[in-house]
């Protein structure tokens, strides 16, 4: 049964066509994920379904007495409201809101909303919306600012929800686990797929190939008909008139339009031996120790992911590395050749009256790429900013387009270290996918805070997790490998407690094991190398051999410079760093070989 009928809607903003005679029917019980590049109208569609906006033409018909709960991307809050006065309705379902708030890490109900961060405010709004007695949940980026435990909770919540869900999210694993239908918005049209995200990618490729095949056939017939017309024809006969009419119809046929893709081009920037060294770093806020005695030397070309619950200190750590904050104790030393590009979680202050092109020109008139220098305008076109968009004020951009512009400003800065705080927030999936490809080809260091599990799997080779006591636990590999290692650690802890007779009913441990097991089950069929891991696996033996040769050469130099104390000290320092790098490579070699063996085992099982 249809809850919502979207019939032949059209919508135009300025000169930009958002929807052009588009239709869709939302069925009862559907869990629909909306995808499309930023600016295509995803948020606009949600607003129209929720009744916050109207189409220019066409109509949206809602089932009588339908109850809709809407979470906008940027909720508005009363200026003096507290969490309790805003979120708690003072009715029998108070406990549902309180339960949701607790699951989302909000427990101080008397606190004023104006004192909360943007992420905390969104969580309060989400908790209230989820507790509403509704038939349809309309959610715009519900996964933003949620840590992994909260994401698992929300996935389970929506999977159990008996109503209908219409949502926009960039979290691809979330779409895989929650959605049973994907709605793609592209060039003013809507395409429906009876699938989760992984299957949608296959179906979309099939659709585009069929459209291209039809277009090739049309062009072939058109050439034949044009040749016939050129040879001359007697237009008096009915048959020949029909053929001329068919020729006109072929000439006026529409060519299938494919989505543009963001093009990013990484250029190597020189990096010296010294990178980033953290030595006994500690940091507290309001008497709460966030980081306790943390030491680490970042290796060249390393990809680090930082995870943990909200408020644990992730952003604080990378802000200190970026030089925007300072440790209470310890030191952070940055090499002389290091150039840091920092993408903050929130967009920087922008002059919204400024034109897009002028914003980029202030950073660089020309940008160096592998193919040579290109202008700021050309770079903007690679980032899907058309010539018309480049000369419009920033205020006309959607939230996702502003995020893309912010990302562009960081990438064109010539950095050899990228520090990214939640880079996929408010970013469309195609842009995130291309960002992943860029980072995998980027010659330099990447340090990212992210709750995007798919992104972490595709980009990072080491994860640091905040344990809640100011310490960081280290795990090899991406997010899936982190979960597997954490499961092994949890099970070992349970077994040791059982052996010592100290376990109670083990509910917490079992809950963690079940959560991780559920995640692993959803990932069972996706065990494979990422593009970066495959490339690394093919070259790591040579890398290890080169490092071993370098150490042997340094040993020889030490003998030759035994009486030169200054040079000897330099060689010893270089050898220590090379040995540390070799140790890291050996750890990676063990991880990659183990993964390769598991992939082969999985293939044999399927065979």
């Amino acid at each position: 049964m249809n809850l919502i009928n979207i019939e032949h809607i059209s919508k135009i903003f300025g000169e930009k066509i958002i929807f052009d005679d588009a239709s869709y029917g939302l069925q009862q019980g559907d869990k629909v994920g909306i995808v499309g590049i930023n600016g295509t109208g995803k948020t606009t569609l949600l607003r129209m379904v929720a009744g916050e906006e109207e189409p220019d033409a066409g109509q949206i018909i809602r089932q009588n007495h339908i109850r809709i709960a809407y979470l906008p991307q940027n909720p508005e809050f009363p200026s003096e409201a507290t969490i309790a006065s805003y979120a708690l309705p003072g009715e029998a379902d108070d406990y549902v809101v309180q339960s949701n708030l607790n699951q989302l890490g909000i427990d101080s109900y008397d606190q004023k909303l104006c004192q909360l961060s943007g992420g905390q405010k969104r969580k309060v709004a989400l908790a209230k919306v989820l507790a509403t007695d509704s038939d349809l949940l309309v959610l715009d980026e519900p996964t933003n600012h949620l840590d992994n435990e909260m994401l698992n909770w929300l996935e389970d919540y929506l999977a159990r929800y008996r109503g209908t869900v219409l949502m926009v999210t960039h979290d691809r694993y979330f779409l895989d686990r929650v959605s049973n239908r994907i709605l793609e918005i592209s060039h003013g049209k809507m395409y429906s797929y009876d699938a989760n995200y992984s299957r949608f990618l296959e179906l979309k490729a099939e659709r585009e190939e069929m459209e291209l095949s039809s277009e090739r056939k049309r062009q072939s017939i058109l050439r034949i008909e044009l040749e016939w017309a050129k040879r001359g024809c007697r237009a008096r006969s009915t048959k020949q008139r029909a053929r001329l009419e068919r020729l006109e119809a072929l000439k006026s046929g529409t060519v299938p339009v494919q989505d543009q893709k963001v093009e990013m081009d990484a250029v190597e920037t020189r990096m010296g031996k010294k990178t980033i060294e953290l030595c006994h770093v500690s940091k507290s806020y309001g008497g709460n120790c966030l980081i306790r005695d943390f030491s680490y030397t970042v290796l060249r070309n390393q990809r680090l992911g930082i995870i943990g619950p909200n408020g644990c200190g992730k952003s604080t750590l990378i802000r200190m590395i970026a030089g925007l904050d300072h440790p209470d104790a310890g030191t952070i030393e940055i090499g002389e050749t290091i150039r840091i590009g920092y993408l903050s979680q929130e967009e920087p202050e922008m002059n919204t009256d400024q034109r897009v092109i002028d914003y980029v020109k202030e950073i660089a008139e020309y940008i160096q790429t592998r193919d040579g220098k290109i202008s700021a305008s050309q770079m903007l076109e690679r980032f899907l900013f058309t010539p018309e968009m480049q000369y419009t004020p920033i205020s006309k951009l959607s939230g996702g387009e502003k995020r893309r512009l912010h990302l562009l400003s960081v990438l064109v800065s010539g950095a050899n270290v990228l520090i990214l705080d939640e880079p996929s927030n408010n970013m469309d999936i195609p842009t995130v996918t291309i960002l992943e490809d860029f980072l995998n080809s980027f010659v330099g260091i990447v340090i990212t805070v992210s709750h995007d599990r798919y992104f972490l799997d595709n980009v990072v080779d080491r994860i640091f997790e905040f344990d809640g006591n100011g310490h960081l636990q280290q795990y090899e590999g991406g997010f899936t490998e982190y979960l597997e290692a954490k499961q092994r650690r949890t099970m070992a802890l349970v077994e040791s407690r059982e052996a010592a007779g100290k376990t109670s009913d083990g509910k917490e441990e079992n809950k963690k094991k079940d959560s991780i097991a559920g995640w692993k089950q959803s990932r069972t069929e996706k065990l494979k190398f990422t593009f970066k891991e495959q490339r690394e696996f093919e070259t790591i033996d040579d890398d290890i051999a080169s490092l071993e040769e370098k150490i042997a050469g340094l040993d020889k130099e030490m003998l030759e410079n035994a009486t030169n104390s200054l040079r000897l000290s330099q060689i010893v320092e270089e050898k220590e760093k090379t040995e540390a790098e070799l140790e890291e490579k050996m750890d990676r070699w063990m991880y990659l070989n183990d993964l390769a063996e598991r992939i082969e085992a999985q293939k044999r099982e399927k065979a």
Side-chain angles (χ1 to χ4, degrees), residues 266-276 298-304 321 334-342 409-420 438-439 441-447:
V267 178
E268 184 169 358
T269 304
R270 188 180 75 85
M271 184 183 294
K273 294 176 182 176
K274 186 171 184 178
T275 57
I276 300 170
V298 182
L299 299 179
R300 292 175 55 158
N301 301 327
Q302 194 163 45
R303 271 74 170 137
L304 299 177
I321 295 173
I334 308 294
E336 291 182 2
T337 60
I338 295 298
R339 297 185 63 183
I340 292 176
Y342 175 66
S409 70
V410 172
L411 298 183
V412 301
S413 64
N416 53 19
V417 174
L418 294 176
I419 298 179
L420 312 174
F438 171 85
L439 295 177
S441 65
F442 175 69
V443 183
I445 293 168
V446 178
I447 303 173

Side-chain angles (χ1 to χ4, degrees), residues 27 63 197 211 272 278 299 303 320-321 336 354 380 548:
Q27 301 284 327
Q63 189 185 78
Y197 180 75
E211 288 178 348
L278 296 90
L299 299 179
R303 271 74 170 137
M320 289 193 296
I321 295 173
E336 291 182 2
Q354 189 178 29
L380 279 163
E548 288 173 338

Side-chain angles (χ1 to χ4, degrees), residues 95-161:
Y95 76 94
V96 179
V97 185
Q98 291 181 32
S99 174
N100 292 347
L101 287 169
N102 291 338
Q103 291 286 352
L104 294 170
I106 306 291
D107 54 15
S108 180
Y109 304 149
D110 294 331
Q111 192 171 6
K112 286 190 175 182
L113 288 168
C114 61
Q115 297 172 340
L116 303 181
S117 67
Q120 289 172 317
K121 288 178 183 176
R122 273 189 61 83
K123 289 177 190 174
V124 173
L126 176 61
K128 180 179 179 179
V129 166
L130 292 179
T132 303
D133 189 14
S134 61
D135 305 301
L136 171 62
L137 286 175
V138 179
L139 308 174
D140 199 348
E141 295 288 2
T143 59
N144 277 2
H145 307 288
L146 301 188
D147 61 34
N148 297 319
E149 286 191 16
M150 294 174 188
L151 283 170
N152 288 332
W153 170 79
L154 183 58
E155 284 172 354
D156 293 338
Y157 190 104
L158 294 181
R160 294 194 310 269
Y161 177 64

Side-chain angles (χ1 to χ4, degrees), residues 214-230:
S214 297
E215 174 59 17
R216 286 192 293 267
K217 184 177 180 180
R218 186 182 75 87
Q219 291 291 345
S220 178
I221 296 172
L222 180 58
R223 282 193 298 271
I224 294 170
E225 296 294 324
L226 285 170
E227 286 298 322
W228 171 78
K230 286 177 184 177

